[in-house]
Coordinates of all heavy atoms in Angstrom, one line a residue:
E1 N 8.9 135.5 148.0 CA 10.0 135.1 147.1 C 11.4 135.7 147.5 O 12.4 135.1 147.3 CB 9.7 135.5 145.7 CG 8.5 134.7 145.1 CD 8.5 134.5 143.6 OE1 9.6 134.6 143.0 OE2 7.4 134.2 143.1
Y2 N 11.3 136.8 148.2 CA 12.6 137.4 148.8 C 13.2 136.4 149.7 O 14.4 136.1 149.7 CB 12.3 138.7 149.5 CG 12.3 139.9 148.6 CD1 11.1 140.5 148.2 CD2 13.5 140.5 148.2 CE1 11.1 141.6 147.4 CE2 13.5 141.6 147.4 CZ 12.3 142.2 147.0 OH 12.3 143.3 146.2
T3 N 12.4 135.8 150.6 CA 12.9 134.9 151.6 C 13.4 133.6 150.9 O 14.5 133.1 151.3 CB 11.7 134.4 152.5 OG1 11.2 135.6 153.2 CG2 12.2 133.5 153.6
A4 N 12.8 133.2 149.8 CA 13.3 132.0 149.1 C 14.7 132.4 148.5 O 15.6 131.5 148.5 CB 12.4 131.6 148.0
V5 N 14.9 133.6 148.0 CA 16.2 134.0 147.4 C 17.2 134.0 148.5 O 18.4 133.6 148.3 CB 16.1 135.3 146.7 CG1 17.4 135.9 146.2 CG2 15.2 135.2 145.4
V6 N 16.9 134.6 149.7 CA 17.8 134.7 150.8 C 18.2 133.3 151.2 O 19.4 133.0 151.4 CB 17.2 135.4 152.0 CG1 18.1 135.3 153.2 CG2 17.0 136.9 151.6
E7 N 17.3 132.4 151.4 CA 17.6 131.0 151.8 C 18.4 130.3 150.8 O 19.4 129.6 151.1 CB 16.3 130.2 152.0 CG 15.5 130.7 153.3 CD 16.2 130.5 154.6 OE1 16.9 129.5 154.7 OE2 16.2 131.4 155.4
A8 N 18.1 130.5 149.5 CA 18.9 129.8 148.4 C 20.3 130.3 148.4 O 21.3 129.6 148.4 CB 18.2 130.1 147.1
L9 N 20.5 131.7 148.5 CA 21.8 132.2 148.6 C 22.6 131.8 149.8 O 23.8 131.5 149.7 CB 21.8 133.8 148.5 CG 21.5 134.3 147.1 CD1 21.2 135.8 147.2 CD2 22.7 134.1 146.2
T10 N 21.9 131.7 150.9 CA 22.6 131.2 152.1 C 23.1 129.8 151.9 O 24.2 129.4 152.3 CB 21.6 131.2 153.3 OG1 21.2 132.6 153.5 CG2 22.2 130.7 154.6
W11 N 22.2 128.9 151.4 CA 22.6 127.5 151.1 C 23.8 127.4 150.1 O 24.7 126.7 150.3 CB 21.4 126.7 150.6 CG 21.7 125.3 150.5 CD1 21.6 124.3 151.5 CD2 22.3 124.6 149.4 NE1 22.0 123.1 151.0 CE2 22.4 123.2 149.7 CE3 22.6 125.0 148.1 CZ2 22.9 122.3 148.8 CZ3 23.1 124.1 147.2 CH2 23.3 122.7 147.6
I12 N 23.6 128.2 149.1 CA 24.7 128.1 148.0 C 26.0 128.6 148.6 O 27.0 128.0 148.3 CB 24.2 129.0 146.8 CG1 23.1 128.3 146.1 CG2 25.4 129.3 145.9 CD1 22.3 129.2 145.1
N13 N 26.0 129.7 149.4 CA 27.2 130.2 149.9 C 27.9 129.2 150.9 O 29.1 129.1 150.9 CB 27.0 131.5 150.7 CG 26.7 132.7 149.7 OD1 27.2 132.7 148.6 ND2 26.0 133.7 150.2
K14 N 27.1 128.4 151.5 CA 27.7 127.4 152.4 C 28.2 126.2 151.7 O 29.1 125.5 152.1 CB 26.6 126.9 153.4 CG 26.3 127.9 154.5 CD 25.2 127.3 155.4 CE 24.8 128.3 156.5 NZ 23.7 127.8 157.3
N15 N 27.7 126.0 150.5 CA 28.0 124.7 149.7 C 28.7 124.9 148.4 O 29.0 124.0 147.7 CB 26.7 124.0 149.5 CG 26.1 123.5 150.8 OD1 26.5 122.5 151.4 ND2 25.0 124.1 151.2
K16 N 29.1 126.2 148.1 CA 29.7 126.4 146.8 C 31.2 125.9 146.8 O 31.8 125.9 147.8 CB 29.7 127.9 146.4 CG 30.5 128.8 147.3 CD 30.4 130.2 147.0 CE 31.2 131.0 148.0 NZ 30.9 132.4 148.0
K17 N 31.6 125.5 145.6 CA 33.0 125.0 145.4 C 33.9 126.1 144.8 O 35.1 126.0 144.9 CB 32.9 123.8 144.5 CG 32.0 122.7 145.0 CD 32.6 121.9 146.1 CE 31.8 120.7 146.4 NZ 31.4 120.5 147.8
S18 N 33.3 127.0 144.1 CA 34.1 128.0 143.4 C 33.5 129.4 143.6 O 32.3 129.5 143.8 CB 34.1 127.7 141.9 OG 34.7 128.7 141.2
T19 N 34.4 130.4 143.5 CA 33.9 131.8 143.6 C 33.7 132.4 142.3 O 33.2 133.5 142.2 CB 34.9 132.7 144.5 OG1 36.1 132.6 143.8 CG2 35.0 132.2 145.9
K20 N 34.0 131.7 141.2 CA 33.9 132.3 139.9 C 32.7 131.7 139.1 O 32.8 131.4 138.0 CB 35.2 132.1 139.1 CG 36.4 132.8 139.7 CD 37.6 132.7 138.9 CE 38.7 133.4 139.7 NZ 39.7 133.9 138.9
T21 N 31.6 131.6 139.8 CA 30.4 131.0 139.3 C 29.4 132.1 139.1 O 29.3 133.1 139.8 CB 29.8 130.0 140.3 OG1 30.9 129.1 140.6 CG2 28.6 129.3 139.8
S22 N 28.6 131.9 138.0 CA 27.4 132.8 137.9 C 26.2 132.1 138.2 O 26.1 130.9 138.2 CB 27.4 133.3 136.4 OG 27.2 132.3 135.5
L23 N 25.2 132.8 138.6 CA 24.0 132.3 139.2 C 22.8 133.1 138.6 O 22.8 134.3 138.6 CB 24.0 132.3 140.7 CG 22.8 131.8 141.5 CD1 22.6 130.3 141.3 CD2 23.1 132.1 143.0
C24 N 21.7 132.4 138.2 CA 20.5 133.1 137.7 C 19.3 132.5 138.4 O 19.1 131.3 138.4 CB 20.4 133.0 136.2 SG 18.9 134.0 135.6
F25 N 18.6 133.3 139.1 CA 17.3 132.9 139.7 C 16.2 133.2 138.7 O 16.1 134.2 138.2 CB 17.0 133.8 141.0 CG 17.9 133.4 142.1 CD1 19.1 134.0 142.4 CD2 17.4 132.4 143.0 CE1 19.9 133.6 143.5 CE2 18.2 132.1 144.1 CZ 19.4 132.7 144.3
F26 N 15.3 132.2 138.6 CA 14.2 132.3 137.7 C 13.0 132.3 138.6 O 12.7 131.4 139.3 CB 14.1 131.1 136.8 CG 15.2 131.0 135.8 CD1 16.3 130.3 136.1 CD2 15.1 131.7 134.6 CE1 17.4 130.3 135.2 CE2 16.2 131.7 133.7 CZ 17.3 131.0 134.0
L27 N 12.3 133.5 138.7 CA 11.2 133.7 139.6 C 9.9 134.0 138.9 O 10.0 134.7 137.8 CB 11.5 134.9 140.5 CG 12.9 134.9 141.2 CD1 13.2 136.2 141.8 CD2 12.9 133.8 142.3
D28 N 8.8 133.6 139.4 CA 7.5 133.9 138.7 C 6.9 135.2 139.2 O 5.8 135.5 138.7 CB 6.6 132.7 138.8 CG 6.1 132.4 140.3 OD1 6.4 133.1 141.2 OD2 5.4 131.4 140.4
S29 N 7.5 135.9 140.1 CA 7.0 137.2 140.5 C 7.8 138.3 139.7 O 8.9 138.6 139.9 CB 7.3 137.5 142.0 OG 6.9 138.8 142.3
Q30 N 7.0 138.9 138.7 CA 7.6 140.0 137.9 C 8.0 141.2 138.8 O 9.0 141.8 138.6 CB 6.7 140.4 136.8 CG 7.3 141.5 135.9 CD 6.4 141.8 134.8 OE1 5.3 141.3 134.7 NE2 6.8 142.7 133.9
L31 N 7.2 141.5 139.9 CA 7.5 142.6 140.8 C 8.8 142.3 141.5 O 9.6 143.2 141.5 CB 6.3 142.7 141.8 CG 6.6 143.8 142.9 CD1 6.7 145.2 142.3 CD2 5.5 143.7 143.9
V32 N 9.0 141.2 142.0 CA 10.2 140.9 142.8 C 11.4 141.0 141.9 O 12.5 141.6 142.2 CB 10.2 139.5 143.5 CG1 11.5 139.1 144.1 CG2 9.1 139.5 144.6
V33 N 11.3 140.4 140.7 CA 12.5 140.5 139.7 C 12.7 142.0 139.4 O 13.9 142.4 139.4 CB 12.1 139.7 138.4 CG1 13.2 140.0 137.3 CG2 12.1 138.2 138.7
S34 N 11.7 142.7 139.2 CA 11.9 144.2 138.8 C 12.5 144.9 140.0 O 13.3 145.8 139.8 CB 10.6 144.8 138.5 OG 10.1 144.2 137.3
Q35 N 12.2 144.5 141.2 CA 12.8 145.2 142.4 C 14.3 144.7 142.6 O 15.2 145.5 142.8 CB 12.0 144.9 143.7 CG 10.7 145.6 143.7 CD 9.8 145.2 144.8 OE1 9.9 144.1 145.4 NE2 8.9 146.1 145.2
L36 N 14.5 143.4 142.4 CA 15.9 142.9 142.6 C 16.8 143.4 141.5 O 18.0 143.5 141.7 CB 15.9 141.4 142.6 CG 15.3 140.7 143.8 CD1 15.1 139.2 143.6 CD2 16.2 140.9 145.0
T37 N 16.3 143.7 140.3 CA 17.1 144.2 139.2 C 17.2 145.7 139.2 O 17.9 146.3 138.3 CB 16.7 143.7 137.8 OG1 15.3 144.1 137.7 CG2 16.8 142.2 137.7
G38 N 16.5 146.4 140.1 CA 16.6 147.8 140.2 C 15.6 148.6 139.3 O 15.7 149.8 139.2
V39 N 14.8 147.9 138.6 CA 13.8 148.6 137.7 C 12.8 149.3 138.5 O 12.4 150.4 138.2 CB 13.1 147.5 136.8 CG1 12.0 148.2 136.0 CG2 14.1 146.9 135.8
Y40 N 12.3 148.7 139.6 CA 11.4 149.3 140.6 C 12.0 149.5 141.9 O 12.9 148.7 142.3 CB 10.2 148.4 140.8 CG 9.3 148.1 139.6 CD1 8.4 147.0 139.7 CD2 9.3 148.9 138.5 CE1 7.5 146.8 138.6 CE2 8.4 148.6 137.4 CZ 7.6 147.6 137.5 OH 6.7 147.3 136.5
R41 N 11.6 150.6 142.6 CA 12.1 150.8 143.9 C 11.3 149.9 144.9 O 10.2 149.6 144.6 CB 11.9 152.3 144.3 CG 12.8 153.2 143.6 CD 12.6 154.6 144.1 NE 11.4 154.7 145.0 CZ 10.8 155.8 145.4 NH1 11.3 157.0 145.1 NH2 9.8 155.8 146.3
V42 N 11.9 149.7 146.0 CA 11.2 148.9 147.1 C 10.8 149.9 148.2 O 11.6 150.5 148.8 CB 12.2 147.8 147.7 CG1 11.5 147.1 148.8 CG2 12.7 146.9 146.6
K43 N 9.5 150.1 148.3 CA 9.0 151.1 149.2 C 8.7 150.5 150.6 O 8.8 151.1 151.6 CB 7.7 151.7 148.6 CG 7.9 152.5 147.4 CD 6.6 153.0 146.8 CE 6.9 153.7 145.5 NZ 5.6 154.2 144.9
N44 N 8.2 149.2 150.6 CA 7.9 148.6 151.9 C 9.1 148.3 152.7 O 10.1 147.8 152.3 CB 7.2 147.2 151.6 CG 6.8 146.5 152.8 OD1 7.7 145.9 153.4 ND2 5.5 146.5 153.1
S45 N 9.1 148.7 154.0 CA 10.3 148.7 154.9 C 10.8 147.2 155.1 O 12.0 146.9 155.1 CB 10.1 149.4 156.2 OG 9.0 148.7 156.9
R46 N 9.8 146.3 155.2 CA 10.2 144.9 155.4 C 10.9 144.3 154.2 O 11.9 143.6 154.3 CB 9.0 144.0 155.8 CG 9.3 142.6 156.0 CD 10.3 142.3 157.1 NE 10.6 140.8 157.1 CZ 11.8 140.3 157.3 NH1 12.8 141.1 157.4 NH2 12.0 139.0 157.3
L47 N 10.3 144.6 153.0 CA 10.9 144.2 151.8 C 12.3 144.8 151.6 O 13.2 144.2 151.0 CB 10.0 144.5 150.6 CG 8.7 143.7 150.6 CD1 7.9 144.0 149.3 CD2 9.0 142.2 150.7
R48 N 12.5 146.1 152.0 CA 13.8 146.7 151.9 C 14.8 146.0 152.7 O 15.9 145.8 152.3 CB 13.7 148.2 152.3 CG 13.6 149.2 151.1 CD 13.9 150.6 151.5 NE 13.3 151.1 152.8 CZ 12.1 151.6 152.9 NH1 11.3 151.8 151.8 NH2 11.6 152.0 154.0
E49 N 14.4 145.6 153.9 CA 15.3 144.8 154.8 C 15.7 143.5 154.1 O 16.9 143.1 154.1 CB 14.6 144.5 156.1 CG 14.4 145.6 157.0 CD 13.6 145.3 158.3 OE1 13.5 144.1 158.5 OE2 13.1 146.2 158.9
L50 N 14.7 142.8 153.5 CA 15.0 141.6 152.8 C 15.9 141.8 151.6 O 16.8 141.1 151.3 CB 13.7 140.9 152.3 CG 13.0 140.2 153.5 CD1 11.6 139.8 153.0 CD2 13.7 139.0 154.0
L51 N 15.7 142.9 150.9 CA 16.5 143.3 149.7 C 18.0 143.5 150.2 O 18.9 143.1 149.5 CB 16.0 144.5 149.0 CG 16.8 145.1 147.8 CD1 16.9 144.0 146.7 CD2 16.2 146.4 147.3
M52 N 18.1 144.2 151.3 CA 19.5 144.4 151.8 C 20.2 143.1 152.2 O 21.4 142.9 151.9 CB 19.5 145.4 153.0 CG 18.9 146.7 152.8 SD 19.4 147.7 151.4 CE 21.0 147.6 151.1
L53 N 19.4 142.2 152.7 CA 19.9 140.9 153.0 C 20.3 140.1 151.8 O 21.4 139.5 151.7 CB 18.9 140.1 153.9 CG 19.4 138.8 154.5 CD1 20.6 139.0 155.3 CD2 18.2 138.2 155.4
V54 N 19.5 140.2 150.7 CA 19.8 139.6 149.4 C 21.1 140.2 148.9 O 22.0 139.4 148.5 CB 18.7 139.8 148.4 CG1 19.2 139.5 147.0 CG2 17.5 139.0 148.7
R55 N 21.3 141.5 149.0 CA 22.5 142.1 148.5 C 23.7 141.7 149.3 O 24.8 141.4 148.7 CB 22.4 143.7 148.6 CG 21.3 144.3 147.7 CD 21.6 144.0 146.2 NE 20.7 144.7 145.4 CZ 19.9 144.0 144.5 NH1 20.0 142.7 144.4 NH2 19.0 144.7 143.8
E56 N 23.6 141.5 150.6 CA 24.7 141.0 151.4 C 25.0 139.6 151.0 O 26.2 139.3 150.8 CB 24.2 141.0 152.9 CG 25.2 140.5 153.9 CD 24.6 140.4 155.3 OE1 23.9 141.4 155.7 OE2 24.9 139.4 156.0
K57 N 24.0 138.7 150.8 CA 24.3 137.3 150.4 C 24.9 137.3 149.0 O 25.8 136.4 148.7 CB 23.0 136.5 150.4 CG 22.4 136.4 151.8 CD 23.2 135.6 152.7 CE 22.5 135.6 154.1 NZ 23.3 134.8 155.1
E58 N 24.5 138.2 148.1 CA 25.1 138.2 146.8 C 26.6 138.6 146.9 O 27.4 138.0 146.2 CB 24.4 139.3 145.9 CG 23.0 139.0 145.5 CD 22.4 140.2 144.8 OE1 22.9 141.3 144.9 OE2 21.3 140.0 144.2
G59 N 26.9 139.5 147.8 CA 28.3 139.9 148.0 C 29.1 138.7 148.5 O 30.3 138.5 148.1
E60 N 28.5 137.9 149.4 CA 29.2 136.7 149.9 C 29.4 135.7 148.8 O 30.4 134.9 148.8 CB 28.4 136.1 151.0 CG 28.3 136.9 152.3 CD 27.3 136.4 153.3 OE1 26.9 135.2 153.1 OE2 27.0 137.1 154.2
F61 N 28.5 135.7 147.8 CA 28.6 134.7 146.8 C 29.9 134.9 146.0 O 30.6 133.9 145.6 CB 27.4 134.8 145.9 CG 27.4 133.8 144.7 CD1 27.3 132.5 144.9 CD2 27.5 134.3 143.4 CE1 27.3 131.6 143.9 CE2 27.5 133.4 142.4 CZ 27.4 132.1 142.6
G62 N 30.2 136.1 145.6 CA 31.5 136.3 144.9 C 31.4 136.3 143.4 O 32.2 136.9 142.7
G63 N 30.4 135.6 142.9 CA 30.2 135.6 141.4 C 29.1 136.5 141.0 O 28.6 137.2 141.8
S64 N 28.7 136.4 139.8 CA 27.6 137.2 139.3 C 26.2 136.6 139.6 O 26.1 135.3 139.6 CB 27.7 137.5 137.8 OG 27.5 136.3 137.1
V65 N 25.3 137.4 140.0 CA 23.9 136.9 140.3 C 23.0 137.7 139.5 O 23.0 138.9 139.5 CB 23.6 137.1 141.8 CG1 22.2 136.6 142.1 CG2 24.6 136.4 142.7
S66 N 22.1 137.0 138.8 CA 21.0 137.7 138.0 C 19.7 137.1 138.3 O 19.6 136.1 138.9 CB 21.4 137.6 136.5 OG 21.4 136.3 136.1
Y67 N 18.6 137.8 137.8 CA 17.3 137.4 138.1 C 16.5 137.5 136.8 O 16.6 138.5 136.1 CB 16.7 138.3 139.2 CG 17.5 138.3 140.5 CD1 18.5 139.2 140.7 CD2 17.2 137.3 141.4 CE1 19.2 139.2 141.8 CE2 18.0 137.3 142.6 CZ 19.0 138.2 142.8 OH 19.8 138.1 143.9
A68 N 15.6 136.5 136.6 CA 14.8 136.5 135.4 C 13.4 136.1 135.8 O 13.2 135.3 136.7 CB 15.3 135.5 134.3
N69 N 12.4 136.7 135.1 CA 11.0 136.4 135.3 C 10.5 135.2 134.4 O 10.8 135.2 133.2 CB 10.1 137.6 135.1 CG 8.7 137.3 135.2 OD1 7.9 137.4 134.3 ND2 8.3 137.0 136.5
I70 N 9.9 134.3 135.0 CA 9.2 133.2 134.3 C 7.7 133.3 134.6 O 7.3 133.2 135.7 CB 9.7 131.8 134.8 CG1 11.2 131.7 134.6 CG2 8.9 130.7 134.1 CD1 11.7 131.7 133.1
P71 N 6.9 133.6 133.6 CA 5.5 133.7 133.8 C 4.9 132.4 134.5 O 5.3 131.3 134.2 CB 4.9 133.9 132.4 CG 6.0 134.3 131.6 CD 7.3 133.7 132.2
R72 N 3.9 132.6 135.4 CA 3.4 131.5 136.1 C 2.8 130.4 135.2 O 3.0 129.2 135.6 CB 2.2 132.0 137.0 CG 2.8 132.7 138.2 CD 1.8 132.6 139.4 NE 2.6 133.0 140.6 CZ 2.4 134.2 141.2 NH1 1.4 134.9 140.8 NH2 3.1 134.5 142.2
E73 N 2.3 130.8 134.1 CA 1.7 129.7 133.2 C 2.8 128.9 132.6 O 2.5 127.8 132.2 CB 0.8 130.4 132.1 CG 1.5 131.3 131.2 CD 1.5 132.8 131.7 OE1 1.1 133.0 132.9 OE2 2.0 133.7 131.0
R74 N 4.1 129.3 132.7 CA 5.2 128.5 132.2 C 5.9 127.8 133.4 O 7.0 127.3 133.2 CB 6.1 129.3 131.4 CG 5.5 129.8 130.1 CD 6.5 130.5 129.2 NE 7.8 130.0 129.2 CZ 8.9 130.8 129.1 NH1 8.8 132.1 129.1 NH2 10.1 130.2 129.1
N75 N 5.4 127.9 134.6 CA 6.1 127.5 135.8 C 5.3 126.4 136.5 O 5.6 126.2 137.7 CB 6.3 128.7 136.7 CG 7.4 128.5 137.6 OD1 8.4 127.8 137.3 ND2 7.3 129.2 138.8
T76 N 4.4 125.7 135.9 CA 3.6 124.8 136.6 C 4.4 123.6 137.1 O 4.1 123.1 138.2 CB 2.4 124.3 135.7 OG1 3.0 123.7 134.5 CG2 1.5 125.4 135.3
E77 N 5.4 123.1 136.4 CA 6.1 122.0 136.9 C 6.9 122.3 138.2 O 6.9 121.6 139.2 CB 7.1 121.5 135.9 CG 8.0 120.3 136.3 CD 7.2 119.0 136.6 OE1 6.0 118.9 136.2 OE2 7.7 118.1 137.2
A78 N 7.5 123.5 138.2 CA 8.2 124.0 139.4 C 7.3 124.1 140.6 O 7.6 123.7 141.7 CB 9.0 125.3 139.2
D79 N 6.1 124.7 140.4 CA 5.1 124.8 141.4 C 4.7 123.5 142.0 O 4.5 123.3 143.2 CB 3.8 125.6 140.9 CG 4.0 127.1 140.9 OD1 5.0 127.6 141.5 OD2 3.2 127.7 140.2
R80 N 4.5 122.5 141.1 CA 4.1 121.2 141.5 C 5.2 120.5 142.4 O 4.9 120.0 143.4 CB 3.8 120.3 140.3 CG 3.3 118.9 140.6 CD 3.2 118.0 139.4 NE 4.5 117.7 138.8 CZ 5.4 116.9 139.4 NH1 5.2 116.3 140.5 NH2 6.6 116.6 138.8
M81 N 6.4 120.7 142.0 CA 7.5 120.1 142.8 C 7.7 120.8 144.1 O 7.8 120.1 145.2 CB 8.8 120.3 142.0 CG 8.9 119.4 140.7 SD 10.2 119.8 139.6 CE 11.6 119.4 140.6
V82 N 7.5 122.1 144.2 CA 7.6 122.8 145.5 C 6.5 122.3 146.4 O 6.7 122.1 147.6 CB 7.6 124.3 145.3 CG1 7.3 125.0 146.6 CG2 8.9 124.8 144.7
N83 N 5.3 122.3 145.8 CA 4.1 121.9 146.7 C 4.3 120.4 147.2 O 3.9 120.1 148.3 CB 2.8 122.0 145.8 CG 2.4 123.4 145.7 OD1 2.7 124.3 146.5 ND2 1.8 123.7 144.6
R84 N 4.9 119.6 146.4 CA 5.1 118.2 146.8 C 6.1 118.2 148.0 O 5.8 117.5 149.0 CB 5.6 117.3 145.7 CG 5.7 115.9 146.1 CD 6.1 115.0 144.9 NE 7.2 115.6 144.1 CZ 7.7 115.1 143.0 NH1 7.2 114.0 142.5 NH2 8.7 115.7 142.4
V85 N 7.1 119.0 148.0 CA 8.1 119.0 149.1 C 7.4 119.7 150.3 O 7.6 119.2 151.4 CB 9.3 119.8 148.6 CG1 10.2 120.1 149.8 CG2 10.1 119.1 147.6
L86 N 6.7 120.7 150.1 CA 6.0 121.4 151.2 C 5.0 120.5 151.9 O 4.9 120.5 153.1 CB 5.3 122.7 150.8 CG 6.3 123.8 150.4 CD1 5.5 125.0 149.9 CD2 7.2 124.2 151.5
D87 N 4.3 119.7 151.1 CA 3.4 118.7 151.7 C 4.1 117.7 152.6 O 3.5 117.3 153.6 CB 2.6 118.0 150.6 CG 1.6 118.9 149.9 OD1 1.2 119.9 150.5 OD2 1.1 118.5 148.8
K88 N 5.3 117.3 152.2 CA 6.0 116.4 153.1 C 6.5 117.0 154.3 O 6.6 116.4 155.4 CB 7.2 115.8 152.3 CG 6.9 114.9 151.2 CD 8.1 114.4 150.4 CE 7.7 113.5 149.3 NZ 8.9 113.0 148.5
I89 N 6.9 118.3 154.3 CA 7.4 119.0 155.4 C 6.3 119.2 156.5 O 6.5 119.1 157.7 CB 8.1 120.3 155.0 CG1 9.3 120.1 154.2 CG2 8.4 121.2 156.3 CD1 9.9 121.3 153.6
W90 N 5.1 119.6 156.0 CA 4.0 120.0 156.9 C 3.1 118.9 157.0 O 2.3 118.6 157.5 CB 3.3 121.3 156.4 CG 4.2 122.4 156.5 CD1 5.3 122.6 157.3 CD2 4.2 123.6 155.7 NE1 5.9 123.8 157.1 CE2 5.3 124.5 156.1 CE3 3.4 124.0 154.7 CZ2 5.5 125.7 155.5 CZ3 3.6 125.3 154.1 CH2 4.7 126.1 154.5

């Protein structure tokens, strides 16, 4: 999910129209949300690198960025949509 956040921020930064925008990511990983919001520390070195990249992309964004957890059982439609796109790519 870190990679997805990095990719989304990269795309948004390239395509944004305004710097005074707020952005909220809804993620189904409670661990990732807790790490991105500073509730939990990131111990894994690879995840720390991705976290630093997220922070860099957030800085480029210019607006506020927040993260919220959506339990998997409430996220079935998003999972279905992602899987449909991934099936087309691969």
Side-chain angles (χ1 to χ4, degrees):
E1 292 206 23
Y2 275 100
T3 302
V5 171
V6 168
E7 291 297 320
L9 284 167
T10 299
W11 186 90
I12 290 166
N13 286 335
K14 287 180 183 176
N15 295 284
K16 68 183 176 197
K17 305 284 190 234
S18 170
T19 59
K20 297 187 182 207
T21 305
S22 62
L23 178 64
C24 185
F25 284 90
F26 295 92
L27 307 168
D28 64 7
S29 172
Q30 184 175 2
L31 175 62
V32 172
V33 169
S34 295
Q35 290 173 334
L36 287 168
T37 58
V39 173
Y40 295 163
R41 288 185 352 192
V42 178
K43 297 177 183 178
N44 179 284
S45 61
R46 176 64 183 136
L47 293 182
R48 262 196 315 271
E49 290 174 16
L50 288 169
L51 177 61
M52 300 313 320
L53 191 52
V54 167
R55 297 297 184 240
E56 179 183 319
K57 300 292 180 180
E58 289 172 347
E60 292 171 12
F61 178 67
S64 68
V65 180
S66 61
Y67 303 92
N69 177 248
I70 301 296
R72 282 210 169 108
E73 59 273 7
R74 291 184 41 218
N75 202 31
T76 55
E77 180 64 15
D79 280 344
R80 185 186 65 74
M81 292 169 65
V82 166
N83 287 329
R84 187 172 48 183
V85 170
L86 290 176
D87 287 344
K88 288 179 183 180
I89 294 172
W90 295 334

